[in-house]
Amino acid sequence: MSATGTRPAERAPIPFRVRAALASGSVLQPLNSSMIAVAIIAIAADFGTSSHISWIISAMYISTSVCAPMAGRLGSVFGARRVFLTGLAMVCIASTAGMFASTVGQLIAVYALIGAGISVHMPTAMTMVRAYAERYARSSRTAMATLVMCGQSIAALGPTVGGLLTGTFGWHSILWVNLPAAALSAAAVLRADVGFAGRSQHTSAWRAVRGLDVAGILLFALVVSTGMLFLVSLRATALYWLLPITLGALAVFIARERRATDPFIDVRALARNRALCATLGRTLLTYTCFYCVFFGIPQWLQTVRGMSATEAGLTMLPVAAVGVLATRAGSSTTHRYGARRTLFIGTFALLVSGILIAVLERSTAPLAVLLIVAAVAGIPNGFNNIGNQSLISAVTTVNDVGAGIGMYRTVAFTGANLAVVVLQLATGGTIDDAGLHRVGWFIATTSIVLLIGLAVSRRMPRSQHRSAPST
């Protein structure tokens, strides 16, 4: 019951123009991360080398995973809309610079900047949604569902869009498409009545910026980047000297975060909340598998099947169609039956898709088989994403839910980085039938581990479908 006596369930939803404006910027992250999955082959061909090409994707995700948790705090100091618009500007600057990149190193730097820009939109959009709902006594549920649905839909459609753009105009087009998208988003957000959201009247900007856990952020980036480089090196000449650096940085990071007043990642909260730890661990594994499909199959379609970027994108279209339907079905299942059943469905579908990839995806397989496998691969993420986000809301308090969602997104982006490592180890950098089959068996094995974990879990709330949002 609110202070005015109005029950939240009876409140009118946030107007569509506001929901759409906020969603318009938050789609840039799934759009860019999915388009690059198809364009990476064309980029390697254009630069004449595949050396370090996977770091284009990794740089974006490392930057995103590091910057996303900071977005909420920056929005609370400078205003959520101002930070949202700054992210759009960063994407535009980086996209323009990327069109003139002459080396792989320059393109890696461009995507690191894009990653920083796109990382701020979902956290600041959520801040603006909640602030608008509180000021005007509106329900935020529909707006949050809009943000999630738009992100899921664009992520699923991204390979098709990226394939069409790359095949028609070249890989540079996946960069310049960001410019009109960002301009339209900026115009919509500036017209929306959300300028009041997140601005702190009690904390100076300088004090808040000084309060950022810069050392924790740098240590986290060091752990992720050196850990990835070590794992990738195992395929050829293992760089064992990186392992003590990674482990040492991880130990220092944990020790510092335990003592920090306002840590980058609250490891003390994680230690106290085992259900949250389990959910984040499950999220890490499911997103690693998801991005193995997301990055691996488009590359395989082009290198082994000889498809153009356009054809590969169209072949991935069933992932988009089924993914959108699975998201809606997962939301309904969570609301009616709870997150456990939703996660069982999503994880079983992940197991089936892994087996199908390992058994049926061959250079000689009929196109119809490829489309069926793509359709099945569209099911897991919709159910798993909804189920895990529901659990984050259920296993954290109202005051901690923002931090929980922030850690959820960081873990999801870390899973994308691990997927790059898995693909490198399984395929040796050049994906063929055998390499893709190893990826499929990795997905199937991971799914079995997840199913066992769900079956034996005793800390999963049984009533989360009543309290968690169906987003």
Side-chain angles (χ1 to χ4, degrees):
M1 187 79 68
S2 68
T4 61
T6 302
R7 296 183 56 165
E10 297 173 348
R11 292 178 177 179
I14 292 175
F16 176 77
R17 67 180 184 278
V18 177
R19 305 197 309 264
L22 300 180
S24 65
S26 62
V27 301
L28 285 173
Q29 186 275 320
L31 180 65
N32 279 273
S33 61
S34 56
M35 289 193 301
I36 192 67
V38 177
I40 199 72
I41 297 297
I43 293 172
D46 191 29
F47 284 105
T49 178
S50 60
S51 177
H52 305 302
I53 206 74
S54 64
W55 280 94
I56 295 173
I57 298 174
S58 298
M60 179 175 63
Y61 278 107
I62 291 174
S63 176
T64 304
S65 63
V66 170
C67 294
M70 294 189 294
R73 177 176 298 177
L74 294 175
S76 68
V77 176
F78 300 105
R81 182 166 67 179
R82 186 174 296 174
V83 175
F84 187 99
L85 294 171
T86 301
L88 293 177
M90 293 172 65
V91 172
C92 289
I93 293 170
S95 298
T96 303
M99 298 177 199
F100 301 98
S102 57
T103 66
V104 173
Q106 291 175 6
L107 202 56
I108 290 173
V110 161
Y111 269 91
L113 183 56
I114 288 177
I118 61 182
S119 71
V120 309
H121 295 131
M122 179 61 82
T124 52
M126 294 288 278
T127 298
M128 287 185 275
V129 163
R130 291 177 178 176
Y132 189 98
E134 289 179 6
R135 170 170 285 201
Y136 297 110
R138 297 292 186 111
S139 170
S140 63
R141 178 171 179 159
T142 303
M144 292 183 180
T146 300
L147 292 176
V148 174
M149 285 294 297
C150 286
Q152 292 278 38
S153 301
I154 294 298
L157 283 169
T160 302
V161 175
L164 291 171
L165 288 173
T166 302
T168 305
F169 304 106
W171 68 264
H172 294 86
S173 59
I174 69 169
L175 288 169
W176 56 251
V177 76
N178 285 326
L179 302 181
L184 291 172
S185 177
V189 170
L190 285 171
R191 294 186 62 185
D193 181 19
V194 292
F196 55 85
R199 288 184 297 190
S200 174
Q201 304 297 326
H202 307 290
T203 304
S204 68
W206 173 243
R207 180 176 298 178
V209 171
R210 285 185 61 188
L212 288 174
D213 184 15
V214 176
I217 293 167
L218 294 176
L219 284 168
F220 178 80
L222 181 63
V223 170
V224 174
S225 56
T226 57
M228 280 192 59
L229 187 57
F230 167 71
L231 291 172
V232 170
S233 73
L234 294 176
R235 184 69 187 185
T237 303
L239 302 177
Y240 288 109
W241 58 270
L242 283 171
L243 187 57
I245 296 177
T246 303
L247 297 177
L250 178 61
V252 175
F253 172 75
I254 293 174
R256 175 180 173 78
E257 297 305 276
R258 288 180 63 88
R259 296 193 305 268
T261 303
D262 197 359
F264 173 63
I265 293 179
D266 193 345
V267 295
R268 291 172 297 182
L270 284 174
R272 292 191 301 266
N273 194 335
R274 293 185 181 180
L276 177 60
C277 287
T279 302
L280 293 175
R282 191 184 309 110
T283 298
L284 177 65
L285 293 178
T286 54
Y287 266 99
T288 300
C289 293
F290 168 72
Y291 280 108
C292 281
V293 174
F294 212 54
F295 297 149
I297 291 182
Q299 294 180 45
W300 174 79
L301 290 172
Q302 294 177 76
T303 56
V304 174
R305 297 284 300 207
M307 291 186 178
S308 65
T310 301
E311 292 169 336
L314 290 173
T315 305
M316 293 292 288
L317 191 58
V319 177
V322 176
V324 173
L325 295 175
T327 300
R328 295 184 64 88
S331 178
S332 177
T333 302
T334 302
H335 182 65
R336 296 184 61 185
Y337 302 109
R340 183 192 291 271
R341 187 171 299 186
T342 304
L343 290 170
F344 264 116
I345 295 172
T347 307
F348 182 76
L350 188 65
L351 171 62
V352 173
S353 65
I355 294 174
L356 291 178
I357 290 170
V359 174
L360 298 182
E361 296 277 62
R362 300 181 182 278
S363 58
T364 56
L367 179 60
V369 171
L370 304 184
L371 295 175
I372 291 172
V373 174
V376 175
I379 299 173
N381 193 49
F383 281 89
N384 289 329
N385 191 27
I386 291 293
N388 284 320
Q389 285 199 58
S390 173
L391 280 178
I392 292 290
S393 298
V395 302
T396 53
T397 65
V398 174
N399 292 332
D400 292 335
V401 68
I405 292 295
M407 285 188 283
Y408 175 88
R409 292 185 64 77
T410 296
V411 164
F413 297 140
T414 303
N417 282 315
L418 289 178
V420 175
V421 173
V422 171
L423 288 172
Q424 286 287 315
L425 294 177
T427 67
T430 303
I431 193 165
D432 55 11
D433 280 358
L436 186 64
H437 295 163
R438 286 191 288 269
V439 172
W441 288 123
F442 167 82
I443 294 172
T445 303
T446 304
S447 302
I448 293 173
V449 172
L450 288 169
L451 285 171
I452 294 173
L454 286 170
V456 302
S457 175
R458 292 292 181 267
R459 293 182 174 272
M460 189 174 294
R462 295 183 181 274
S463 59
Q464 68 270 17
H465 59 289
R466 294 175 184 171
S467 59
S470 63
T471 56

